[in-house]
Amino acid sequence: MFKRYPFLFSVLLLGYAFLYLPIISLIVYSFNESRLVTVWGGFSTKWYGELVNNGPLLDAAWLSIKIGAMNATLSVVLGTLAALALVRFRNLRGHQSLGVMVTAPLVMPEIIIGLSLLLLFVAMEQLIGWPAGRGQVTILLAHVTFSMAYVTVIVQSRLAHMDRSIEEAALDLGARPVKVFFRITLPMIAPALMAGWLLAFTLSMDDLVIASFVSGPGSTTLPMVVYSSVRLGVSPQINALATIIIGVVAMAVLIAGVVLYRKEMRKQQEG
């Protein structure tokens, strides 16, 4: 490949290096003896030990993980329902409006979304008394608002290209629509649901701008802690925590890839 397309191969290598060298550097310096993250002082795992005793950082990480998991689950449920409405009920009144409203967060600047949600939560608290202040609930609602749009697009694409003959055959044989959905449709769109869940979780873990608008005292997420610590210099403990997160994510992606590969091989053998 390099001999036939040297320029394209070089650009590909530069692109991967640009993406992954900073991550590799972060992992390496998480084992740095020195407190300075850019000066190598020898191999050490002491920052992982100090990370265990860093309560505020661990609390922020746990809050982000908890909100991310709940956000991903709710986004998959709501996004799947929205995708079904957009694909299967095209003649429904308000179909175009629903499509615009669902996809609007994809192109809306985050600062606009954060400010508008803040104003909405303040108005709701004044009118009905809920949500009481800004905290985990408001962060979760805000994350679901924009994460659901990404899940809807992924599931909508899968539903639009799915062969409906199997569903129609099951309906002709007397199966109820609900049973057809859970026994046939859901397994067929399972890869899209998994991709949407992982994307929604990642978006929630990565969000800083919107969470800064809708969070309150006692509800500081991990990106907010990392951003605030940058002003005083990045602590090696953050490198250690980031390395742990990268390891967990890499393991999850590897397991998901193996499961999907085995499922595909089983289908080929059965076919």
Side-chain angles (χ1 to χ4, degrees):
M1 178 179 176
F2 180 74
K3 293 181 179 180
R4 295 181 60 184
Y5 308 102
F7 177 75
L8 294 179
F9 190 74
S10 300
V11 171
L12 180 65
L13 287 180
L14 289 174
Y16 277 114
F18 181 80
L19 289 173
Y20 290 105
L21 281 180
I23 298 177
I24 296 174
S25 175
L26 182 147
I27 296 173
V28 171
Y29 277 98
S30 70
F31 298 98
N32 186 14
E33 173 71 24
S34 174
R35 179 174 292 274
L36 301 176
V37 295
T38 57
V39 178
W40 181 257
F43 181 85
S44 176
T45 59
K46 70 176 185 178
W47 302 114
Y48 288 87
E50 293 191 10
L51 176 63
V52 177
N53 299 320
N54 192 333
L57 185 60
L58 293 179
D59 291 341
W62 170 243
L63 178 63
S64 293
I65 294 173
K66 182 170 60 175
I67 292 178
M70 292 189 293
N71 163 68
T73 303
L74 290 174
S75 296
V76 166
V77 174
L78 297 176
T80 302
L81 295 176
L84 285 170
L86 292 173
V87 175
R88 300 292 174 82
F89 303 96
R90 297 183 181 274
N91 296 326
L92 184 67
R93 179 180 297 180
H95 177 271
Q96 296 295 333
S97 300
L98 176 62
V100 172
M101 289 188 295
V102 168
T103 57
L106 295 174
V107 296
M108 193 77 66
E110 289 187 342
I111 191 170
I112 302 299
I113 297 176
L115 180 59
S116 60
L117 288 174
L118 173 62
L119 297 176
L120 173 64
F121 294 146
V122 171
M124 289 176 60
E125 184 180 6
Q126 294 175 351
L127 291 175
I128 62 176
W130 185 88
R134 262 61 67 196
Q136 299 183 29
V137 175
T138 54
I139 297 176
L140 176 61
L141 294 175
H143 284 185
V144 171
T145 300
F146 69 86
S147 298
M148 185 186 71
Y150 292 89
V151 177
T152 301
V153 171
I154 296 173
V155 179
Q156 182 181 1
S157 176
R158 181 68 182 96
L159 287 171
H161 295 87
M162 191 179 70
D163 185 8
R164 296 195 61 185
S165 60
I166 302 177
E167 295 177 311
E168 294 173 353
L171 292 172
D172 291 339
L173 292 173
R176 295 179 179 274
V178 176
K179 187 175 183 179
V180 171
F181 175 77
F182 284 102
R183 296 293 297 272
I184 297 176
T185 307
L186 201 60
M188 293 180 69
I189 65 174
L193 298 180
M194 182 180 297
W197 196 97
L198 292 174
L199 179 59
F201 181 82
T202 303
L203 291 171
S204 179
M205 287 286 295
D206 185 60
D207 175 63
L208 170 65
V209 177
I210 297 177
S212 299
F213 278 95
V214 300
S215 63
S219 58
T220 304
T221 60
L222 181 61
M224 296 171 64
V225 172
V226 174
Y227 178 75
S228 61
S229 66
V230 169
R231 301 176 181 178
L232 302 177
V234 178
S235 170
Q237 297 180 33
I238 296 179
N239 290 349
L241 179 61
T243 301
I244 295 174
I245 294 176
I246 291 171
V248 172
V249 171
M251 186 62 65
V253 172
L254 179 62
I255 293 174
V258 171
V259 171
L260 292 177
Y261 175 77
R262 290 182 177 179
K263 185 177 180 180
E264 187 67 24
M265 293 298 295
R266 191 180 303 112
K267 288 183 179 179
Q268 293 179 2
Q269 293 175 358
E270 293 176 354

